Amino acid sequence: MEKSSMLLVSLLYMLLIFFSVCPADAIESPHYSVIHTESDFEVRLFRDSVWMSAPVEDVSFEKATKFGFHRLFQYIQGANMNWSRIPMTKPVLTSIVPGAGPLHSSAYYVRFYLPLNFQETPPLPLAELNLKTTSWPSHCIAVRKFSGFARDSNIVTEAEKLSSSLSRSQWAYSTSSQSKYAYSIAQYDSPFQFIGRVNEVWVDVTGSGCGSNGIATY
């Protein structure tokens, strides 16, 4: 078995053990307020947050997510300057960087939301992991949910559906021009969960409502 395949099998095995002992409601997620709701999407105002990011150059969303998360998993298991073990969070976020590649994408950033205890002083990753800390200011994100597995074969279609929904709403011209990413795919479940899976398409948006108090806070 090739080394990359062995690493992937090892990663999946560790994830199976982790998700089998960690209750879903015990896993932290970034905090946000819902400021607008439609039948097929919502707009969330996310608070300031810090993420650990793994840049990956690949033409495949699925491969990029697997290899990027493998490096992030090593980081949270102790491959950092403090040898700290960091609790798992959700979602695992893969941001697609627009470019000249297939589907107008040339690279990806796979991201891990740092738990509250590590937000202010994230442990530095080992250099060989090629990770970097990313600070997100408070901003709005349009979100569309979809079920099943996030695949190369369906993520573009789901992103197009969100774009179409936005174009028919008050957020029609609100896509953020300052965003470096075309869109992101958020995955909330273990790869071993086959029923009731939750994924989301995220697109940065701007608007006057992004500075208001939300109608629901999570």
Side-chain angles (χ1 to χ4, degrees), residues 2-63:
E2 295 182 359
K3 183 178 180 180
S4 60
S5 298
M6 293 178 65
L7 289 173
L8 180 57
V9 171
S10 176
L11 169 62
L12 293 175
Y13 178 71
M14 288 186 289
L15 283 173
L16 175 61
I17 295 174
F18 174 83
F19 280 101
S20 66
V21 300
C22 186
D25 58 1
I27 302 178
E28 290 186 39
S29 296
H31 294 281
Y32 62 85
S33 299
V34 177
I35 65 169
H36 183 87
T37 303
E38 297 278 350
S39 60
D40 55 352
F41 77 92
E42 66 184 23
V43 177
R44 302 172 183 169
L45 174 60
F46 280 83
R47 301 180 187 176
D48 296 350
S49 58
V50 179
W51 300 65
M52 190 60 65
S53 301
V56 182
E57 293 187 4
D58 206 307
V59 296
S60 166
F61 160 82
E62 293 177 63
K63 289 182 180 178

Side-chain angles (χ1 to χ4, degrees), residues 9-183:
V9 171
S10 176
L11 169 62
L12 293 175
Y13 178 71
M14 288 186 289
L15 283 173
L16 175 61
I17 295 174
F18 174 83
F19 280 101
S20 66
V21 300
C22 186
D25 58 1
I27 302 178
E28 290 186 39
S29 296
H31 294 281
Y32 62 85
S33 299
V34 177
I35 65 169
H36 183 87
T37 303
E38 297 278 350
S39 60
D40 55 352
F41 77 92
E42 66 184 23
V43 177
R44 302 172 183 169
L45 174 60
F46 280 83
R47 301 180 187 176
D48 296 350
S49 58
V50 179
W51 300 65
M52 190 60 65
S53 301
V56 182
E57 293 187 4
D58 206 307
V59 296
S60 166
F61 160 82
E62 293 177 63
K63 289 182 180 178
T65 300
K66 288 176 182 177
F67 292 138
F69 185 72
H70 181 261
R71 286 149 54 196
L72 291 167
F73 195 79
Q74 292 180 74
Y75 168 75
I76 68 175
Q77 288 296 297
N80 54 72
M81 299 302 289
N82 296 352
W83 305 108
S84 298
R85 293 178 66 88
I86 302 171
M88 184 64 189
T89 62
K90 61 182 181 181
V92 173
L93 190 69
T94 304
S95 297
I96 290 82
V97 181
L103 304 177
H104 304 290
S105 304
S106 58
Y108 303 83
Y109 279 89
V110 186
R111 306 185 187 281
F112 171 84
Y113 170 72
L114 288 164
L116 290 178
N117 289 343
F118 295 91
Q119 284 280 307
E120 290 190 7
T121 54
L124 293 175
L126 298 184
E128 57 266 28
L129 295 180
N130 188 25
L131 303 177
K132 66 177 184 178
T133 304
T134 305
S135 296
W136 279 13
S138 177
H139 67 291
C140 279
I141 297 177
V143 177
R144 170 187 168 82
K145 294 182 182 292
F146 65 99
S147 59
F149 285 89
R151 304 289 196 193
D152 289 291
S153 59
N154 65 358
I155 60 168
V156 175
T157 299
E158 295 297 336
E160 289 174 342
K161 289 179 180 178
L162 176 57
S163 177
S164 177
S165 296
L166 288 171
S167 70
R168 300 190 302 270
S169 74
Q170 68 185 65
W171 302 87
Y173 301 102
S174 63
T175 303
S176 176
S177 60
Q178 297 180 349
S179 177
K180 299 178 181 178
Y181 314 107
Y183 60 92

